Amino acid sequence: MKKRRYASGQLGLTLVSESFGTYLAFFYLERLGLSAALYALARTVYALWDAVNDPLFGHLSDRTKTPWGRRRPWLLLGVPLFLLAYLLVFWVPDWARSPAVLPYYFALAILLYETLATVVWTNHGALFPEMFRGLRERAEAAALKRGAELLGLILGIALAPMVYARVGFFGMALLFAGLALLAFLYFFPGIREDPRAGSGLGLWASFRLVLANRAFWVVALVGLLFEFGRMALQTAIPFYAKHALGLEEGATTFLFAAVFLAALPSALLWGRLAGAWGGKRAWRLAHLLMGLSALLLFLPQGLPAALLAGALVGAGFAGVRVTGEVVMAKVIDLDAERTETRREGAYYSLVGLLGRAAGALVGLAFALLTPLFGYVSGENPGPNPEAAFRFLVAVVPGTAILLAYALTALFPHEVKE
C-alpha cells in the first residue's frame, strides 16, 4: 500500500509536468506564433531562476521541523498552487496574445510554474530514500514509481494530441489537472517520515558536503545529459510527426504510445534486473539502449518504422528511470553513513536543478534551428523543416544520452543488496 500511494504521487507529477514540458513549445510557437528565439530566451531565464530556487527549497525542506514532518507541509501547500500555475500556462487571454505582450506573459507564467514545481518535485523525491530501505525494496518501489510515471506519460503525452485537438490546450490542462489532483489525494495519506531524520547544517555547509561527493557529480551530470536528451526528444516529436512524417496532429498519439506502451512492462523487468545484476550495471545498459534507439529515429520515412524505433526508445527510457532511482538512493545512503545526517532535499534539489537546466539546453537547441535550417516558427518554418526536426528528435538526444552512458563508467560504487 505504501509503495502504491507513493507511486500515485509520481503519476500526478508526471501527468502535469510532462504535458507541460512536451507541448509548451508546440502551443506557444505553432499555435500562438511566439518566435523560437524568444522561447529560448525565456527558457534560459527560467533555468537561471532554477539555480536559485532548487537549492533553497531543498535546504529549507531538510531543515523543516513540524509535528507533521519535514516534507508533508510543503506538499500539502505546494500541490494546489502547482496545479493552478499549470492551468495559467495554457490559459492565455486575448489581451496577452499580441506579439508585444505574449513574450512577457510566457516568461512570467513559466517562472511561476517552475517555482511551484520545484517545491513539489523536491519534496516528493526526497521521500523515496527515507520511506524505502534496502536494494530489493527500493527496486520494487522504483519499478512501481516509474510504472506510474509511464502511465502519466501515456495519459499526459501520448493521448494529449487527441485531447487538445477536441477541447483545445486549456481544456487539456483542466482535464489533466483534475486527474492529477485525484492522484495526489490518494498519495497524501501514504506519506511516511522518520521523526528522527533531519539536518542541522547551514545552507553552505550542507551543499558543500554534497558538492564534494564524487559519486553525486557522476549521477548529476549523467542525469543532466539524459534529461536534455529526453526533453529534446519528447518536445520534438509533435514537430517531427508534422514536418518529417507528414502526419496529422492527432497521429502524434501513436508515436508517443509506441514509446510508453513499450516502456510500461519494461519498468518491472528493469526493477528485477537491478536487483539481480546490481544497480550500476543495469543503469549503464539502459542508457546505452536508449541512446542508440534515439539515433534510429532519424531514419523512418513513415509511421510503422517510427513506431518500431519509438518502442526501443521506450524500453531504454524505462530502464534509465528505474535504475537511476536506485543509484541515487545509494549515493544518499553512503553520505548519511559518513555525515550522520540525512539531507535528501539537498541532493534531490541539486539533481532537479541540473535536470531542469536541461530545459534551457532544449531552448538553445530550438534556437539553433534558425541558423542551421531556417526554422523560425510555425508561421515561418523555413526551407527544410523536415531536416530540422529529424536533427532535433534523433541526433541531439541520441548524442546526449550516449555521452551520459560514457559517464556512467565513472560511478565509483556497485549497487547491491
Side-chain angles (χ1 to χ4, degrees), residues 36-37 364-376 383:
L364 293 175
F366 266 90
L368 285 175
L369 299 182
T370 300
L372 292 179
F373 302 100
Y375 177 88
V376 176

Side-chain angles (χ1 to χ4, degrees), residues 348-361:
Y348 277 95
S349 66
L350 286 175
V351 168
L353 166 62
L354 290 173
R356 281 187 285 275
L361 296 179

Side-chain angles (χ1 to χ4, degrees), residues 106-270:
F106 173 69
L108 289 173
I110 65 172
L111 285 173
L112 176 63
Y113 169 86
E114 164 52 27
T115 302
L116 294 161
T118 296
V119 171
V120 180
W121 274 100
T122 297
N123 283 278
H124 181 268
L127 287 169
F128 183 87
E130 189 172 342
M131 288 178 62
F132 309 108
R133 302 294 174 91
L135 176 59
R136 191 163 301 278
E137 185 185 23
R138 283 174 174 171
E140 291 172 357
L144 280 174
K145 177 181 178 180
R146 295 312 177 184
E149 176 185 52
L150 290 164
L151 178 59
L153 291 168
I154 291 169
L155 295 173
I157 296 181
L159 294 183
M162 298 177 66
V163 175
Y164 67 65
R166 288 163 174 76
V167 299
F169 278 91
F170 183 60
M172 175 198 76
L174 277 172
L175 174 63
F176 291 166
L179 292 173
L181 180 60
L182 293 176
F184 283 122
L185 290 174
Y186 182 70
F187 157 66
F188 286 139
I191 297 174
R192 298 290 182 271
E193 298 189 61
D194 183 351
R196 299 166 299 174
S199 172
L201 297 173
L203 179 65
W204 170 241
S206 177
F207 284 100
R208 181 173 54 80
L209 289 171
V210 175
L211 296 174
N213 188 332
R214 176 192 166 193
F216 163 76
W217 275 109
V218 175
V219 172
L221 292 175
V222 167
L224 171 62
L225 288 167
F226 168 75
E227 283 298 305
F228 169 46
R230 178 192 68 83
M231 291 175 64
L233 191 154
Q234 288 181 199
T235 306
I237 280 182
F239 299 88
Y240 173 72
K242 176 181 177 180
H243 295 292
L245 301 180
L247 303 176
E248 298 293 331
E249 281 188 5
T252 305
T253 290
F254 298 112
L255 275 172
F256 279 121
V259 175
F260 303 133
L261 290 176
L264 193 56
S266 300
L268 298 176
L269 174 62
W270 284 104

Side-chain angles (χ1 to χ4, degrees), residues 84-105:
L84 177 61
Y86 168 69
L87 292 174
L88 290 175
V89 168
F90 290 103
W91 178 73
V92 183
D94 291 340
W95 59 264
R97 296 188 176 217
S98 71
V101 177
L102 184 62
Y104 298 101
Y105 183 91

